[in-house]
Amino acid sequence: MSHAFLDGYKPLYFSTTEWAFIRAACARLIPSEGEGPGALEARVPVFIDTQMAGDFGKASDWYMLGPHEPGANPLLGFQSPLTPAQIYRQSIALVDEWCTEQKGKAFAELGPDLQDEVLRDLQARKMPLKAELRDFFVLLLQNTKEGYFADPIYGGNYRMAAWKYIGFPGARGAYLEWANDKGAPYPLGPVSISGDRG
Amino acid sequence: MRALVRIIGGLIVLVIVILLGLMLMPMHRTAAVTNLPAGYEPPAGAGERVAIAADCAACHTAPGGKPFAGGRVVETPIGRIYASNITPDRKTGIGNYTLDDFRAALYDGLRRDGVHLYPAMPYPSYRKMTEEDVRALYGYFMNELAPVEASVPETRLAFPFNQRWGIRLWDWASLPPAGFRPYMRSAKLDRGAYLVEALAHCGSCHTPRNGLTFAEKGYESRSADFLTGGVIGAWPAPDLRARDSAAQRWSDEQLAALLASGRNETAGVSGEMALAVEHSLQHLPKSDMEAIVSYLKAIKQDRPIADASAPRSTPAPTAQQLASASPQLGLGARLYLDNCNACHFATGKGAKNVFPNLDGNAVVTAKQPGGLISLILNGDAIPSTSERPERLVMPGFGWRLNDDEVAALATFVRQSWSNAAPAVTTADVAKLRGAVNTTPW
């Protein structure tokens, strides 16, 4: 499948190798094969890159002054002294290093089955990532879903493809006339924040 | 041949003499309409009340500026006119004005130095002020306000409008008699007439103007044209007298609610009317508001609305069409669903006391579509008033709709439900698209 747009895209935050990792990982989390658009068709990597370059990546509005207990029970919430952008950067480097050692190639070069294996290991915390980077997979999966379903104004969900796929009618303020029609599909395509009509 | 040359020469000389006369002849200042006894003192607080009812601050306070220190631009058909600093500062304000100078500004549109003021200053309405109110106002401006030193940029209009002596011709042709002579059935109605015709200068927006001089076609209810609908900037200021105008259809309570609180069950004020309510009308004593409402009801005219299209005899099935959410809907309907339906709903009726009704709304069906277009492009807000403290905002959509889309949407709104107004063109929209934010944040 050709992804000319992603090929031509100049990442705001990620380096060339990091960008290759993100594209490959997103493509496994929401694959292009099968029903509906994949993460690449929906331009999810652009969403993640934009987020990393922006307030979310910089944790601008998070409490980041410590005390930090990165090893604390995850139920106590985010405890890392690192920002999401730093977590992505450091984790991608470590995962690629690990893949090269264990499987002979960087993550992006591996075949889909091996990539799935690596992602599963990451999710199951089988990979030796230090506590500060513990949330990497959680962030990656969460941001991929967000990029898939968020309004296209944030860079992903290109042409509202994900919304059209699930029949979500978009950022149209009210559906009063449909409130009692349980289960009837809404006939009209979605609308985005910037007013695009699908 | 020689005779003809002589006649033409003579005519030219005559014209020059008349022009010189016009330019140089001393101005006529109207004298006090009532001789008040020596030592007359206006009642305490009267001056401030008159200033509020007359909304002097509307033009004489710049956005974010000190009260009455001037500098606000009044947009007029002939150009941008700066309102003066009218604080009692001697250098930059009106600190040197005598009572007679002040009255001449209000009655005759004359500045202290004898120069004619542009009728952007609504002296044709203020000319009806009683001497008691002139005195009260003078006392307020001279003694109760602190002087503010603030120079106002000089108004520079293009030729011929920069020839201020020409306004003299305008004044001769246009000005009504000075002072207010009661003419209605009761003291209450006369109070209403005085407030509407003189102080609140409702006519300066709501009365049509003649095409030649832009003067209002009438200054009191005995003129059939008075308050039958005018234009202010690109906005319609609706007809208030026709039997099917909103002002006449609404009950007294609903009309009073709109004027005093900025909204009623089906409508909210917008554009310049919102400013009039925010700065002036909401502060009027209850008795004055009742007088205004009684007066407006008393001057009803038994005719269809003048400045807007008549409603359809059978309403269009718009609500059902919108509710179908069919992909077959035209662009205008689709845009309505995408942008407006959330607040104004498929019925167009909005929500009681919150979102105005668009069905039969005079701003929507007006001959002048500029108010509707501006609302769509820039949004607007019902101001916070003491009775209704919550400011209700309609967002602007100029950043997400292009001119073709705004035209299609405005046309849809103008032709839906019982509305039957002519289409809006892309060019109409382009004219009004100013420096609008292109993003919502």
Side-chain angles (χ1 to χ4, degrees):
Chain A
M1 194 163 295
S2 131
H3 291 290
F5 179 81
L6 294 180
D7 294 343
Y9 179 79
K10 300 257 172 307
L12 302 170
Y13 175 74
F14 292 121
S15 69
T16 315
T17 40
E18 289 161 356
W19 180 241
F21 178 97
I22 291 294
R23 286 181 59 171
C26 288
R28 291 322 302 154
L29 293 172
I30 309 179
S32 302
E33 305 80 49
E35 264 186 83
L40 297 188
E41 288 73 46
R43 299 188 179 173
V44 170
V46 176
F47 169 87
I48 299 182
D49 178 55
T50 316
Q51 290 302 310
M52 289 310 122
D55 288 345
F56 175 77
K58 296 179 189 136
S60 304
D61 52 5
W62 291 6
Y63 176 79
M64 292 296 283
L65 292 182
H68 299 285
E69 284 292 344
N73 183 335
L75 293 178
L76 297 178
F78 188 80
Q79 296 277 337
S80 175
L82 303 176
T83 64
Q86 290 167 330
I87 293 179
Y88 268 82
R89 175 149 293 157
Q90 297 186 18
S91 306
I92 292 173
L94 288 171
V95 174
D96 265 347
E97 206 180 295
W98 188 84
C99 289
T100 316
E101 265 167 31
Q102 305 282 321
K103 325 252 170 198
K105 284 178 188 163
F107 179 81
E109 324 270 276
L110 299 175
D113 292 345
L114 281 179
Q115 285 177 336
D116 286 356
E117 220 178 281
V118 174
L119 289 174
R120 267 191 220 105
D121 286 353
L122 251 182
Q123 183 170 31
R125 301 187 198 278
K126 286 194 196 144
M127 198 146 322
L129 284 186
K130 56 179 177 175
E132 285 83 346
L133 303 177
R134 186 177 71 191
D135 291 326
F136 174 54
F137 184 82
V138 176
L139 282 173
L140 179 65
L141 181 61
Q142 170 194 322
N143 298 156
T144 302
K145 292 182 199 164
E146 287 166 351
Y148 194 68
F149 286 122
D151 189 276
I153 205 167
Y154 302 106
N157 191 9
Y158 179 56
R159 294 206 169 148
M160 300 177 275
W163 289 354
K164 283 188 222 163
Y165 171 51
I166 62 165
F168 175 65
R172 192 183 283 121
Y175 299 91
L176 191 64
E177 295 77 24
W178 291 78
N180 297 323
D181 252 329
K182 298 200 176 62
Y186 185 77
L188 209 51
V191 58
S192 73
I193 290 179
S194 63
D196 289 337
R197 297 180 289 280
Chain B
M1 190 62 201
R2 290 261 304 268
L4 190 64
V5 170
R6 230 185 271 153
I7 289 171
I8 291 176
L11 279 176
I12 292 175
V13 170
L14 191 67
V15 167
I16 291 175
V17 169
I18 290 175
L19 282 181
L20 278 176
L22 264 175
M23 291 166 74
L24 303 177
M25 197 177 69
M27 305 324 124
H28 171 73
R29 285 176 161 201
T30 305
V33 286
T34 314
N35 285 319
L36 296 176
Y40 171 86
E41 283 292 334
E48 187 178 9
R49 285 196 295 275
V50 177
I52 287 173
D55 207 1
C56 310
C59 302
H60 287 284
T61 304
K66 293 234 174 71
F68 303 110
R72 179 184 274 272
V73 175
V74 180
E75 302 278 357
T76 75
I78 59 171
R80 298 156 66 88
I81 299 173
Y82 289 95
S84 321
N85 176 345
I86 55 169
T87 68
D89 182 54
R90 287 186 180 273
K91 223 166 93 201
T92 60
I94 60 169
N96 293 322
Y97 271 60
T98 63
L99 173 64
D100 288 343
D101 295 337
F102 188 73
R103 190 188 304 105
L106 292 174
Y107 277 22
D108 304 308
L110 289 173
R111 210 159 66 184
R112 196 175 105 87
D113 61 1
V115 165
H116 285 274
L117 296 170
Y118 290 108
M121 160 77 185
Y123 60 88
S125 302
Y126 293 153
R127 194 172 160 76
K128 296 196 167 183
M129 252 187 230
T130 61
E131 179 64 10
E132 287 83 351
D133 281 356
V134 172
R135 290 276 190 100
L137 208 49
Y138 181 69
Y140 173 68
F141 278 102
M142 291 304 153
N143 309 324
E144 293 177 42
L145 285 182
V148 176
E149 193 180 329
S151 309
V152 166
E154 200 186 320
T155 297
R156 292 174 189 278
L157 300 186
F159 185 82
F161 303 115
N162 58 358
Q163 303 296 305
R164 285 181 180 251
W165 56 269
I167 301 172
R168 182 176 301 191
L169 292 174
W170 190 94
D171 287 348
W172 283 346
S174 314
L175 283 187
F180 181 79
R181 269 170 230 88
Y183 67 96
M184 307 232 13
R185 291 192 308 274
S186 70
K188 183 179 183 187
L189 290 176
D190 276 320
R191 176 67 185 162
Y194 177 66
L195 284 161
V196 168
E197 297 170 5
L199 298 189
H201 58 282
C202 313
S204 70
C205 298
H206 286 278
T207 299
R209 294 172 183 264
N210 73 54
L212 193 64
T213 62
F214 293 116
E216 290 158 55
K217 284 188 180 166
Y219 293 98
E220 53 155 60
S221 69
R222 282 176 291 195
S223 148
D225 291 311
F226 184 65
L227 298 185
T228 57
V231 167
I232 168 93
W235 283 69
D239 188 339
L240 301 178
R241 298 178 72 177
R243 59 166 183 258
D244 49 1
S245 65
Q248 299 300 336
R249 274 184 291 128
W250 289 330
S251 67
D252 288 16
E253 292 71 33
Q254 291 295 304
L255 180 54
L258 185 87
L259 298 174
S261 76
R263 57 180 129 142
N264 61 21
E265 286 184 358
T266 57
V269 289
S270 53
E272 296 265 354
M273 190 64 200
L275 299 178
V277 168
E278 184 176 12
H279 300 299
S280 169
L281 301 177
Q282 67 156 320
H283 304 292
L284 294 186
K286 199 153 183 282
S287 56
D288 275 355
M289 188 46 73
E290 284 168 7
I292 289 179
V293 168
S294 304
Y295 163 83
L296 289 174
K297 294 294 186 182
I299 63 168
K300 171 175 171 176
Q301 293 171 335
D302 192 21
R303 55 164 178 83
I305 212 155
D307 62 337
S309 306
R312 295 170 195 270
S313 41
T314 330
T318 311
Q320 294 92 296
Q321 277 168 12
L322 289 171
S324 77
S326 159
Q328 261 59 263
L329 290 174
L331 178 62
R334 169 75 205 251
L335 290 170
Y336 184 86
L337 275 178
D338 286 357
N339 298 283
C340 323
N341 195 61
C343 299
H344 296 288
F345 299 115
T347 56
K349 297 219 180 301
K352 220 172 165 183
N353 286 314
V354 183
F355 300 127
N357 181 6
L358 305 183
D359 186 7
N361 183 313
V363 175
V364 173
T365 58
K367 292 200 173 124
Q368 164 60 268
L372 174 61
I373 297 171
S374 304
L375 271 157
I376 296 175
L377 287 174
N378 310 318
D380 208 334
I382 302 176
S384 165
T385 55
S386 50
E387 252 179 78
R388 292 276 188 178
E390 189 175 4
R391 188 169 173 267
L392 287 176
V393 179
M394 156 148 164
F397 294 86
W399 63 275
R400 91 200 290 236
L401 300 177
N402 64 32
D403 293 354
D404 291 326
E405 290 169 334
V406 174
L409 174 58
T411 301
F412 172 80
V413 175
R414 277 162 73 80
Q415 301 180 347
S416 290
W417 310 291
S418 66
N419 298 342
V424 167
T425 66
T426 307
D428 294 335
V429 181
K431 264 188 283 172
L432 291 178
R433 190 183 283 273
V436 175
N437 279 347
T438 46
T439 63
W441 297 287

Short mmCIF file of all heavy atoms in Angstrom, two decimals, chain A residues 153 172-174 176-178 186-195 197-198, chain B residues 323-327 329 331 334-335 337-338 341-342 345-346 399-400 405 441:
data_model
loop_
_atom_site.label_atom_id
_atom_site.label_comp_id
_atom_site.label_asym_id
_atom_site.label_seq_id
_atom_site.Cartn_x
_atom_site.Cartn_y
_atom_site.Cartn_z
N ILE A 153 -8.89 17.83 12.79
CA ILE A 153 -8.15 19.08 13.02
C ILE A 153 -6.82 18.80 13.73
O ILE A 153 -5.87 19.57 13.63
CB ILE A 153 -9.04 20.07 13.82
CG1 ILE A 153 -8.63 21.51 13.57
CG2 ILE A 153 -9.00 19.78 15.30
CD1 ILE A 153 -9.66 22.51 14.08
N ARG A 172 -21.41 17.54 15.15
CA ARG A 172 -22.63 18.30 14.85
C ARG A 172 -23.36 18.37 16.18
O ARG A 172 -23.63 17.35 16.79
CB ARG A 172 -23.44 17.52 13.81
CG ARG A 172 -24.55 18.27 13.18
CD ARG A 172 -25.31 17.35 12.24
NE ARG A 172 -24.62 17.12 10.98
CZ ARG A 172 -24.25 15.93 10.52
NH1 ARG A 172 -24.48 14.85 11.21
NH2 ARG A 172 -23.66 15.81 9.35
N GLY A 173 -23.68 19.61 16.63
CA GLY A 173 -24.07 19.76 18.02
C GLY A 173 -25.21 18.93 18.59
O GLY A 173 -25.21 18.58 19.75
N ALA A 174 -26.24 18.59 17.82
CA ALA A 174 -27.40 17.98 18.47
C ALA A 174 -28.12 17.04 17.52
O ALA A 174 -28.15 17.26 16.32
CB ALA A 174 -28.38 19.06 18.94
N LEU A 176 -31.41 15.88 18.38
CA LEU A 176 -32.67 15.81 19.11
C LEU A 176 -33.69 14.93 18.41
O LEU A 176 -34.34 14.10 19.04
CB LEU A 176 -33.22 17.23 19.25
CG LEU A 176 -34.38 17.42 20.20
CD1 LEU A 176 -33.93 17.08 21.62
CD2 LEU A 176 -34.87 18.86 20.15
N GLU A 177 -33.81 15.10 17.10
CA GLU A 177 -34.85 14.37 16.35
C GLU A 177 -34.57 12.87 16.32
O GLU A 177 -35.43 12.09 15.96
CB GLU A 177 -34.95 14.90 14.92
CG GLU A 177 -35.43 16.34 14.83
CD GLU A 177 -34.36 17.35 15.16
OE1 GLU A 177 -33.16 17.02 15.03
OE2 GLU A 177 -34.70 18.46 15.59
N TRP A 178 -33.35 12.48 16.65
CA TRP A 178 -32.97 11.07 16.55
C TRP A 178 -32.87 10.41 17.92
O TRP A 178 -32.59 9.21 18.02
CB TRP A 178 -31.64 10.95 15.81
CG TRP A 178 -31.84 11.30 14.37
CD1 TRP A 178 -31.95 12.56 13.85
CD2 TRP A 178 -32.05 10.40 13.30
NE1 TRP A 178 -32.21 12.50 12.51
CE2 TRP A 178 -32.27 11.18 12.14
CE3 TRP A 178 -32.07 9.01 13.20
CZ2 TRP A 178 -32.51 10.61 10.89
CZ3 TRP A 178 -32.29 8.44 11.96
CH2 TRP A 178 -32.52 9.25 10.81
N TYR A 186 -27.97 6.67 11.40
CA TYR A 186 -28.12 8.08 11.04
C TYR A 186 -27.63 8.24 9.61
O TYR A 186 -26.49 7.88 9.30
CB TYR A 186 -27.29 8.91 12.01
CG TYR A 186 -27.42 10.39 11.83
CD1 TYR A 186 -28.55 11.07 12.29
CD2 TYR A 186 -26.42 11.13 11.20
CE1 TYR A 186 -28.66 12.45 12.14
CE2 TYR A 186 -26.54 12.50 11.04
CZ TYR A 186 -27.66 13.16 11.52
OH TYR A 186 -27.77 14.49 11.36
N PRO A 187 -28.50 8.74 8.71
CA PRO A 187 -28.17 8.64 7.29
C PRO A 187 -27.05 9.57 6.82
O PRO A 187 -26.38 9.27 5.83
CB PRO A 187 -29.48 9.02 6.59
CG PRO A 187 -30.47 9.36 7.64
CD PRO A 187 -29.83 9.32 8.97
N LEU A 188 -26.88 10.70 7.48
CA LEU A 188 -26.00 11.73 6.94
C LEU A 188 -24.55 11.48 7.37
O LEU A 188 -24.30 11.03 8.48
CB LEU A 188 -26.48 13.07 7.47
CG LEU A 188 -26.24 14.31 6.62
CD1 LEU A 188 -26.74 14.09 5.20
CD2 LEU A 188 -26.95 15.49 7.25
N GLY A 189 -23.62 11.79 6.49
CA GLY A 189 -22.20 11.66 6.81
C GLY A 189 -21.78 12.63 7.91
O GLY A 189 -22.53 13.52 8.28
N PRO A 190 -20.56 12.44 8.43
CA PRO A 190 -20.13 13.27 9.55
C PRO A 190 -19.69 14.68 9.14
O PRO A 190 -19.53 14.97 7.95
CB PRO A 190 -18.94 12.50 10.11
CG PRO A 190 -18.39 11.76 8.94
CD PRO A 190 -19.56 11.45 8.05
N VAL A 191 -19.50 15.52 10.14
CA VAL A 191 -18.94 16.84 9.92
C VAL A 191 -17.83 17.03 10.94
O VAL A 191 -17.91 16.53 12.06
CB VAL A 191 -20.03 17.93 10.07
CG1 VAL A 191 -20.69 17.87 11.44
CG2 VAL A 191 -19.45 19.32 9.86
N SER A 192 -16.76 17.71 10.52
CA SER A 192 -15.62 17.89 11.43
C SER A 192 -15.67 19.28 12.06
O SER A 192 -16.45 20.14 11.64
CB SER A 192 -14.31 17.73 10.66
OG SER A 192 -14.09 18.87 9.85
N ILE A 193 -14.79 19.50 13.02
CA ILE A 193 -14.76 20.81 13.68
C ILE A 193 -14.53 21.91 12.67
O ILE A 193 -15.14 22.97 12.73
CB ILE A 193 -13.66 20.85 14.77
CG1 ILE A 193 -14.06 19.96 15.95
CG2 ILE A 193 -13.44 22.28 15.25
CD1 ILE A 193 -13.02 19.93 17.07
N SER A 194 -13.68 21.67 11.70
CA SER A 194 -13.42 22.75 10.74
C SER A 194 -14.48 22.82 9.66
O SER A 194 -14.37 23.62 8.74
CB SER A 194 -12.04 22.57 10.11
OG SER A 194 -12.02 21.37 9.38
N GLY A 195 -15.55 22.04 9.79
CA GLY A 195 -16.69 22.19 8.90
C GLY A 195 -16.66 21.27 7.68
O GLY A 195 -17.55 21.34 6.85
N ARG A 197 -17.32 18.22 5.34
CA ARG A 197 -18.47 17.32 5.30
C ARG A 197 -18.05 15.98 4.73
O ARG A 197 -17.40 15.91 3.71
CB ARG A 197 -19.57 17.93 4.43
CG ARG A 197 -20.12 19.23 4.96
CD ARG A 197 -21.21 19.80 4.06
NE ARG A 197 -20.71 20.32 2.80
CZ ARG A 197 -20.15 21.51 2.66
NH1 ARG A 197 -19.99 22.30 3.70
NH2 ARG A 197 -19.73 21.92 1.48
N GLY A 198 -18.44 14.92 5.43
CA GLY A 198 -18.09 13.59 4.93
C GLY A 198 -19.31 12.88 4.39
O GLY A 198 -20.42 13.33 4.57
N ALA B 323 -35.17 16.98 9.88
CA ALA B 323 -35.19 15.83 10.77
C ALA B 323 -34.85 14.54 10.03
O ALA B 323 -34.35 13.59 10.63
CB ALA B 323 -36.56 15.70 11.44
N SER B 324 -35.06 14.52 8.70
CA SER B 324 -34.77 13.30 7.94
C SER B 324 -33.27 13.06 7.86
O SER B 324 -32.82 11.95 7.64
CB SER B 324 -35.34 13.40 6.53
OG SER B 324 -34.49 14.23 5.74
N ALA B 325 -32.46 14.12 8.02
CA ALA B 325 -31.00 14.03 7.89
C ALA B 325 -30.62 13.27 6.63
O ALA B 325 -29.66 12.50 6.62
CB ALA B 325 -30.37 13.38 9.13
N SER B 326 -31.37 13.51 5.57
CA SER B 326 -31.14 12.75 4.34
C SER B 326 -29.90 13.28 3.61
O SER B 326 -29.70 14.50 3.50
CB SER B 326 -32.36 12.89 3.43
OG SER B 326 -32.00 12.60 2.11
N PRO B 327 -29.09 12.37 3.06
CA PRO B 327 -27.94 12.82 2.25
C PRO B 327 -28.39 13.59 1.01
O PRO B 327 -27.57 14.23 0.37
CB PRO B 327 -27.24 11.51 1.86
CG PRO B 327 -27.71 10.51 2.87
CD PRO B 327 -29.10 10.91 3.25
N LEU B 329 -30.31 16.18 1.05
CA LEU B 329 -30.58 17.58 1.38
C LEU B 329 -29.63 18.50 0.61
O LEU B 329 -28.48 18.16 0.39
CB LEU B 329 -30.38 17.82 2.88
CG LEU B 329 -31.41 17.21 3.83
CD1 LEU B 329 -30.97 17.43 5.27
CD2 LEU B 329 -32.78 17.82 3.60
N LEU B 331 -27.24 21.96 -0.10
CA LEU B 331 -26.11 22.47 0.68
C LEU B 331 -26.56 23.33 1.86
O LEU B 331 -26.07 23.18 2.98
CB LEU B 331 -25.18 23.29 -0.24
CG LEU B 331 -23.97 23.93 0.45
CD1 LEU B 331 -23.06 22.87 1.04
CD2 LEU B 331 -23.20 24.81 -0.53
N ARG B 334 -27.95 21.17 4.64
CA ARG B 334 -26.86 20.41 5.25
C ARG B 334 -26.06 21.33 6.18
O ARG B 334 -25.70 20.96 7.31
CB ARG B 334 -25.97 19.84 4.13
CG ARG B 334 -24.66 19.25 4.60
CD ARG B 334 -24.88 17.89 5.24
NE ARG B 334 -23.80 17.56 6.18
CZ ARG B 334 -22.87 16.64 5.97
NH1 ARG B 334 -22.87 15.94 4.87
NH2 ARG B 334 -21.95 16.42 6.89
N LEU B 335 -25.78 22.55 5.72
CA LEU B 335 -25.00 23.47 6.54
C LEU B 335 -25.77 23.87 7.78
O LEU B 335 -25.19 24.07 8.85
CB LEU B 335 -24.60 24.70 5.72
CG LEU B 335 -23.56 24.43 4.63
CD1 LEU B 335 -23.41 25.63 3.72
CD2 LEU B 335 -22.21 24.06 5.26
N LEU B 337 -27.89 21.96 9.40
CA LEU B 337 -27.76 20.83 10.33
C LEU B 337 -26.38 20.81 10.98
O LEU B 337 -26.24 20.58 12.17
CB LEU B 337 -27.97 19.51 9.58
CG LEU B 337 -29.40 19.03 9.40
CD1 LEU B 337 -29.41 17.74 8.60
CD2 LEU B 337 -30.07 18.82 10.75
N ASP B 338 -25.37 21.06 10.17
CA ASP B 338 -24.00 20.98 10.68
C ASP B 338 -23.67 22.12 11.64
O ASP B 338 -22.84 21.95 12.53
CB ASP B 338 -22.99 21.04 9.51
CG ASP B 338 -22.96 19.73 8.72
OD1 ASP B 338 -23.66 18.79 9.11
OD2 ASP B 338 -22.22 19.67 7.72
N ASN B 341 -28.34 23.82 13.81
CA ASN B 341 -29.41 23.00 14.36
C ASN B 341 -29.27 22.77 15.86
O ASN B 341 -30.25 22.64 16.57
CB ASN B 341 -29.40 21.65 13.61
CG ASN B 341 -30.65 20.85 13.83
OD1 ASN B 341 -31.73 21.32 13.47
ND2 ASN B 341 -30.53 19.70 14.42
N ALA B 342 -28.02 22.73 16.33
CA ALA B 342 -27.78 22.42 17.74
C ALA B 342 -28.47 23.43 18.65
O ALA B 342 -28.92 23.07 19.75
CB ALA B 342 -26.29 22.41 18.03
N PHE B 345 -32.45 24.52 16.32
CA PHE B 345 -33.29 23.34 16.11
C PHE B 345 -33.97 23.28 14.74
O PHE B 345 -34.02 24.26 14.01
CB PHE B 345 -34.33 23.20 17.24
CG PHE B 345 -33.69 23.03 18.58
CD1 PHE B 345 -33.83 23.98 19.56
CD2 PHE B 345 -32.89 21.93 18.83
CE1 PHE B 345 -33.21 23.83 20.80
CE2 PHE B 345 -32.26 21.77 20.05
CZ PHE B 345 -32.41 22.73 21.04
N ALA B 346 -34.46 22.07 14.43
CA ALA B 346 -35.04 21.82 13.11
C ALA B 346 -36.28 22.70 12.88
O ALA B 346 -36.58 23.08 11.76
CB ALA B 346 -35.41 20.34 12.97
N TRP B 399 -14.89 31.38 10.16
CA TRP B 399 -13.63 30.63 10.03
C TRP B 399 -13.83 29.25 9.43
O TRP B 399 -12.90 28.64 8.95
CB TRP B 399 -12.95 30.51 11.39
CG TRP B 399 -13.77 29.73 12.38
CD1 TRP B 399 -14.78 30.22 13.17
CD2 TRP B 399 -13.68 28.34 12.66
NE1 TRP B 399 -15.32 29.21 13.90
CE2 TRP B 399 -14.66 28.05 13.63
CE3 TRP B 399 -12.86 27.30 12.21
CZ2 TRP B 399 -14.86 26.76 14.14
CZ3 TRP B 399 -13.06 26.02 12.71
CH2 TRP B 399 -14.05 25.77 13.68
N ARG B 400 -15.06 28.73 9.47
CA ARG B 400 -15.24 27.37 8.95
C ARG B 400 -16.14 27.31 7.72
O ARG B 400 -16.31 26.25 7.14
CB ARG B 400 -15.74 26.44 10.07
CG ARG B 400 -17.24 26.33 10.20
CD ARG B 400 -17.73 25.83 11.54
NE ARG B 400 -17.47 24.45 11.84
CZ ARG B 400 -18.38 23.53 12.17
NH1 ARG B 400 -19.65 23.84 12.21
NH2 ARG B 400 -18.06 22.33 12.48
N GLU B 405 -20.62 29.05 0.95
CA GLU B 405 -21.36 28.30 1.95
C GLU B 405 -22.23 29.24 2.80
O GLU B 405 -23.39 28.94 3.08
CB GLU B 405 -20.39 27.51 2.84
CG GLU B 405 -19.73 26.36 2.08
CD GLU B 405 -18.57 25.70 2.83
OE1 GLU B 405 -17.93 26.37 3.66
OE2 GLU B 405 -18.31 24.52 2.58
N TRP B 441 -9.76 29.35 17.99
CA TRP B 441 -9.04 29.59 19.25
C TRP B 441 -8.19 30.82 19.19
O TRP B 441 -7.28 30.94 18.47
CB TRP B 441 -8.20 28.36 19.61
CG TRP B 441 -9.07 27.19 19.84
CD1 TRP B 441 -9.87 26.97 20.92
CD2 TRP B 441 -9.28 26.07 18.97
NE1 TRP B 441 -10.56 25.82 20.78
CE2 TRP B 441 -10.21 25.23 19.61
CE3 TRP B 441 -8.76 25.71 17.72
CZ2 TRP B 441 -10.64 24.04 19.03
CZ3 TRP B 441 -9.19 24.54 17.16
CH2 TRP B 441 -10.11 23.71 17.81
#
